[in-house]
């Protein structure tokens, strides 16, 4: 189990980069709100399928969420909706790799907040590894001498999105750990299905009331939407498995390798240049992640 969370986080990172790239393309076709709901509405059927497969494979019943578990899951689900929308807003004006870098400012906040809220243990060496990896992200995305207030609205929006993704990670880990029955796999998968159900219902009601055009547009490009939904459910399945096995801080720090994957996509898929500073930043990220894995071994 000590190494399974590592594999889960890596697979989640790969799936998330692919999904973000797909959502970035959909944003240009159907708008921010439409592309936001795609990962939830079209991801829900796959999450239900995953849950059915897990129940068949394990023979375990679907756990009924208690009040604390439900509260954490709802909070995580709503935070993720807001974070996804803000992420897609930033992607309209910034490169794919830089947007991903801003989103990955979350691990330090996650580590401290999870220690306070969920009582997840964190040692000073582990915190140092998280800080090193996060510093690599900042090195990639912020030019030397730049003041935070000089970064402009896109950067601040990206930072806010990263904070909300961190809040969602804490919410989902709390939802999983507060379930009082079932193994890690059934608890992770059932929490995923519940969160996507909450998110789908919330966005369908919102769009039916305020943005029916975007809802119709998402169904008009259903093939791309279905693929984005699958990628979202695939990535989330492994994120949730990671949250079931270790702290949210560990999972989200290892997920910083997503910045490296995103840079490769940015370079080879979108023909966006990679600078020397970004390469140095990626090296620092690898050092921080490597230290974290060594400490967790």
């Amino acid at each position: 189990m000590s190494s399974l969370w590592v594999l889960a986080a890596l697979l989640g990172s790969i799936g998330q980069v692919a999904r973000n790239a797909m959502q970035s393309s959909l944003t240009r076709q159907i708008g921010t709100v439409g592309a936001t709901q795609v990962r939830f509405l079209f991801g829900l059927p796959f999450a239900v399928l995953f849950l059915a497969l897990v129940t068949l494979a394990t023979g375990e019943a679907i756990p009924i969420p208690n009040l604390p578990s439900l509260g954490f899951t709802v909070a995580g689900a709503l935070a993720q909706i807001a974070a996804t929308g803000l992420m897609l807003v930033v992607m309209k004006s910034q490169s794919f790799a830089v947007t991903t870098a801003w989103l990955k400012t979350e691990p330090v906040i996650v580590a401290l907040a999870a220690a306070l809220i969920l009582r997840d243990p964190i040692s000073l060496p582990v915190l140092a590894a998280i800080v090193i990896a996060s510093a690599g992200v900042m090195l990639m995305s912020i030019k030397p001498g730049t003041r935070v207030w000089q970064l402009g609205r896109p950067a601040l929006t990206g930072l806010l999105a990263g904070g909300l993704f961190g809040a969602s990670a804490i919410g989902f880990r709390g939802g999983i750990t507060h379930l009082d029955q079932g193994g890690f796999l059934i608890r992770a998968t059932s929490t995923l299905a519940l969160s996507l159900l909450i998110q789908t219902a919330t966005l369908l009601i919102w769009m039916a009331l305020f943005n029916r055009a975007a809802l119709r547009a998402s169904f008009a490009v259903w093939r791309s939407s279905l693929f984005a939904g699958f990628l979202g459910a695939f990535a989330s399945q492994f994120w949730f498995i990671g949250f079931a096995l270790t702290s949210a801080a560990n999972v989200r720090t290892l997920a910083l390798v997503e910045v490296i994957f995103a840079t490769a996509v940015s370079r080879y898929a979108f023909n966006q240049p990679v600078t020397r500073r970004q390469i140095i930043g990626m090296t620092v990220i690898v050092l921080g992640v490597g230290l974290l894995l060594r400490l967790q071994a």
Side-chain angles (χ1 to χ4, degrees):
M1 292 300 177
S2 61
S3 59
L4 184 56
W5 75 266
V6 175
L7 177 62
L10 289 174
L11 290 172
S13 296
I14 294 171
Q16 183 153 301
V17 169
R19 187 213 61 218
N20 287 350
M22 179 63 71
Q23 278 189 292
S24 178
S25 300
L26 283 171
T27 302
R28 292 188 289 271
Q29 300 180 56
I30 61 178
T32 301
V33 177
T36 298
Q37 66 89 27
V38 159
R39 81 175 278 186
F40 306 120
L41 174 61
F42 289 89
L44 179 59
F46 294 105
V48 172
L49 175 61
F50 297 159
L51 182 57
L53 293 174
V54 169
T55 57
L56 289 174
T58 63
E60 294 181 284
I62 299 174
I64 304 300
N66 51 40
L67 190 58
S69 175
L70 182 60
F72 273 109
T73 303
V74 169
L78 296 180
Q80 192 177 48
I81 289 175
T84 302
L86 291 174
M87 174 193 73
L88 294 175
V89 168
V90 178
M91 281 185 178
K92 284 184 175 181
S93 60
Q94 301 296 312
S95 77
F96 182 71
V98 170
T99 299
T100 302
W102 283 335
L103 297 177
K104 295 306 172 184
T105 56
E106 64 179 279
V108 175
I109 297 175
V110 171
L112 296 176
L116 292 172
I117 298 172
L118 301 178
R119 299 294 188 266
D120 282 341
I122 182 170
S123 65
L124 287 178
V126 168
L127 184 58
I130 295 171
V131 170
I132 291 171
S134 300
V137 175
M138 302 308 294
L139 181 61
M140 288 183 65
S141 56
I142 300 177
K143 295 180 180 179
T146 302
R147 306 293 182 184
V148 173
W149 55 85
Q150 294 175 330
L151 294 176
R153 183 177 296 178
L156 296 178
T157 303
L159 293 172
L160 178 58
L164 286 170
F165 274 124
S168 71
I170 293 172
F172 294 143
R173 164 122 172 115
I176 293 168
T177 58
H178 281 81
L179 287 175
D180 51 16
Q181 56 181 318
F184 76 90
L185 189 57
I186 190 69
R187 287 186 289 114
T189 311
S190 61
T191 303
L192 170 61
L194 176 60
S195 67
L196 283 173
L197 179 62
I198 294 168
Q199 291 162 329
T200 298
T202 300
L203 282 169
L204 281 178
I205 293 172
W206 171 268
M207 295 178 74
L209 292 174
F210 302 108
N211 201 338
R212 294 181 185 176
L215 182 60
R216 289 192 296 268
S218 67
F219 284 105
V221 291
W222 66 269
R223 289 183 179 85
S224 298
S225 297
L226 194 64
F227 187 46
F230 166 74
L231 290 172
F234 174 86
S236 295
Q237 176 67 45
F238 287 104
W239 289 136
F240 279 54
I241 290 174
F243 294 148
L245 294 171
T246 189
S247 70
N250 285 345
V251 175
R252 300 311 292 165
T253 301
L254 181 56
L256 291 176
V257 299
E258 181 186 333
V259 178
I260 299 174
F261 300 151
T263 302
V265 172
S266 181
R267 172 66 181 85
Y268 295 106
F270 298 145
N271 293 319
Q272 295 167 344
V274 178
T275 66
R276 183 173 64 178
R277 189 179 71 255
Q278 288 176 309
I279 294 173
I280 296 173
M282 286 188 284
T283 302
V284 176
I285 291 171
V286 171
L287 289 174
V289 169
L291 177 59
L292 175 70
L293 295 179
R294 184 176 179 84
L295 292 169
Q296 296 296 328

